[in-house]
Amino acid sequence: MIEIPSTVKLRLDGDALISNWQTLDRMSGSASAGAAIKANAYGLGSVEVVQRLQAAGCRDFYVANWQEAREIESHLEGGSCISVLNGVRAEDMPFAMISAAKPVLNNMEQVYRWQETGRSCDVMINSGMNRLGINPMDIARYDWSDLDIDIVMSHLASADEDVPQNEQQLEQFIDALDHVRGKRRSLSNSAGIALGKAYHFDCTRPGLSLYGGKQHAAYEKTIQQVAFPETQILQVRDLKIGDKVGYNAKYTAEREHPIAILAMGYADGYLRGFSNEGVFLSDKTMLPVLGRVSMDLIAVDISKAPDLGESDWVTAEYDLTIASRQSGLSQYELITGLGNRFTRYWA
Ligand SMILES: *Cc1c(COP(=O)(O)O)cnc(C)c1O
């Protein structure tokens, strides 16, 4: 088959990924940082991410479901663990019984189901987020001594905000730990690590900040961008005063200037919130997005880089803090939304 070179590429910075994990591991104090790699490592590619983080010393990996566990199982080194955050349904049991991964037990039905296997597991406590997890009442009522529990964990709902809920969840978690004991305890996601020592316990579970997310001021200077969406110019044209650009004519030229049409669009996850707000970069030169983002095309102003031409490459400004402000999307949506048309490459 003849290779067809892609018009959209996602450049992934392996050094930045490792530096981010080391930063989060260091900030976790005496606790060790794991890595949330659900949703294909937030869209970056879970196998590559696992291999790189293992080489740096990361040992605990968190996926959402058993399909994701299977994806990375054969890449685990000795001493590494996978936790399946969404738990174990009845229909997961045939695979779970032969898998190297362990379920995070989220309700009492899962506890009864898993207890019979005698295999290792984690336990999720509902400390007030009311998503998945066992309520403190049920934790206190049950005799956990027959289960082989590795991590007892809970999850913070608002770690990226300075609100009383963080401390309330911390207290609920500590109370519940009187009644259920595992080998290790874990509470914090990326933003939770920045809340300080009381939130660290034995292991932490960062996801977003590994991949460049900065949901806490402490990360603005230390966490580095990992994912850089790149695309090619398909056409260059000159606008005259009054010329309009794109669907519904959301940009009208007030001066004569050149524009470039790029081979990326909202089908790639560069959503319409970037219309008239986003920026692309050619080296350091900023190229503002003009008009609506289309499904497969974007127009940018190249007044400041008039030498750009067909087949040249440009990079989306995708610092997650900045891109979130431009688009109105969350940092999570920005990183997980990058689509399948991107050729992902590590550099
Ligand atoms: C996704 C997730 C994490 C990682 O959260 P980030 O905010 O991305 O750091 C940690 N723990 C649980 C239970 C999760 O679902």
Side-chain angles (χ1 to χ4, degrees):
M1 262 225 304
I2 298 171
E3 193 202 335
I4 307 172
S6 178
T7 50
V8 282
K9 295 182 188 172
L10 190 61
R11 175 164 58 84
L12 298 164
D13 184 335
D15 292 340
L17 174 73
I18 290 188
S19 162
N20 290 345
W21 180 78
Q22 287 169 337
T23 295
L24 293 158
D25 191 52
R26 196 177 330 114
M27 286 181 67
S28 298
S30 58
S32 61
I37 54 155
K38 59 205 187 192
N40 197 25
Y42 291 41
L44 306 192
S46 58
V47 171
E48 286 276 7
V49 166
V50 165
Q51 288 171 334
R52 283 159 197 277
L53 291 181
Q54 275 191 142
C58 181
R59 287 293 173 267
D60 292 299
F61 297 96
Y62 301 88
V63 297
N65 59 44
W66 294 91
Q67 284 89 347
E68 292 177 357
R70 171 146 69 186
E71 194 74 20
I72 59 158
E73 255 183 13
S74 61
H75 302 278
L76 285 203
E77 291 166 11
S80 290
C81 305
I82 310 173
S83 299
V84 180
L85 291 167
N86 284 4
V88 60
R89 303 168 302 171
E91 53 267 58
D92 292 322
M93 289 300 283
F95 180 72
M97 290 299 292
I98 58 160
S99 171
K102 59 195 153 112
V104 179
L105 305 180
N106 287 311
N107 60 47
M108 293 312 294
E109 286 67 38
Q110 294 182 359
V111 171
Y112 306 141
R113 190 176 292 141
W114 199 254
Q115 180 143 359
E116 294 176 6
T117 70
R119 297 167 71 95
S120 175
C121 62
D122 298 336
V123 170
M124 176 67 80
I125 296 167
N126 172 29
S127 61
M129 186 176 189
N130 288 308
R131 205 171 60 168
L132 295 177
I134 303 171
N135 287 337
M137 280 270 263
D138 294 322
I139 293 280
R141 260 196 228 124
Y142 194 68
D143 174 7
W144 296 92
S145 53
D146 283 348
L147 269 172
D148 178 11
I149 304 172
D150 182 6
I151 303 173
V152 176
M153 69 177 81
S154 190
H155 190 48
L156 296 167
S158 310
D160 56 335
E161 292 181 283
D162 185 12
V163 291
Q165 189 184 16
N166 292 322
E167 229 166 289
Q168 289 159 6
Q169 285 197 265
L170 175 63
E171 280 170 27
Q172 279 277 2
F173 182 54
I174 290 171
D175 286 349
L177 287 172
D178 282 343
H179 302 283
V180 57
R181 220 161 282 276
K183 299 185 183 79
R184 300 182 286 167
R185 306 156 298 166
S186 175
L187 179 61
S188 286
N189 61 348
S190 300
I193 292 169
L195 295 178
K197 193 170 171 357
Y199 290 80
H200 296 159
F201 296 93
D202 303 308
C203 42
T204 57
R205 310 187 306 271
L208 183 73
S209 292
L210 293 172
Y211 314 117
K214 293 167 285 186
Q215 290 227 300
H216 194 281
Y219 296 145
E220 268 313 321
K221 291 217 168 66
T222 51
I223 292 296
Q224 299 173 28
Q225 184 173 348
V226 175
F228 298 82
E230 302 173 332
T231 185
Q232 214 170 10
I233 295 174
L234 297 176
Q235 188 168 350
V236 166
R237 61 195 321 127
D238 290 307
L239 297 186
K240 292 196 247 348
I241 294 170
D243 280 353
K244 299 171 185 5
V245 174
Y247 282 119
N248 308 103
K250 295 297 182 191
Y251 175 80
T252 305
E254 290 172 357
R255 56 187 167 83
E256 291 188 1
H257 69 89
I259 66 170
I261 308 302
L262 313 180
M264 187 192 287
Y266 61 75
D268 298 300
Y270 196 84
L271 300 187
R272 277 176 35 161
F274 285 106
S275 300
N276 276 321
E277 299 286 344
V279 172
F280 280 72
L281 299 164
S282 171
D283 292 324
K284 296 252 158 63
T285 308
M286 293 171 88
L287 315 172
V289 171
L290 302 180
R292 281 248 159 102
V293 172
S294 297
M295 189 182 297
D296 319 302
L297 297 167
I298 298 165
V300 293
D301 183 353
I302 56 166
S303 303
K304 298 216 172 84
D307 293 338
L308 285 174
E310 188 185 319
S311 83
D312 285 340
W313 286 83
V314 296
T315 305
E317 179 173 63
Y318 221 68
D319 170 280
L320 293 179
T321 312
I322 296 172
S324 176
R325 204 177 304 134
Q326 290 169 347
S327 64
L329 297 168
S330 76
Q331 297 188 30
Y332 295 88
E333 292 166 311
L334 286 168
I335 195 80
T336 57
L338 296 171
N340 292 328
R341 290 197 295 206
F342 283 100
T343 301
R344 287 159 168 78
Y345 74 102
W346 292 83

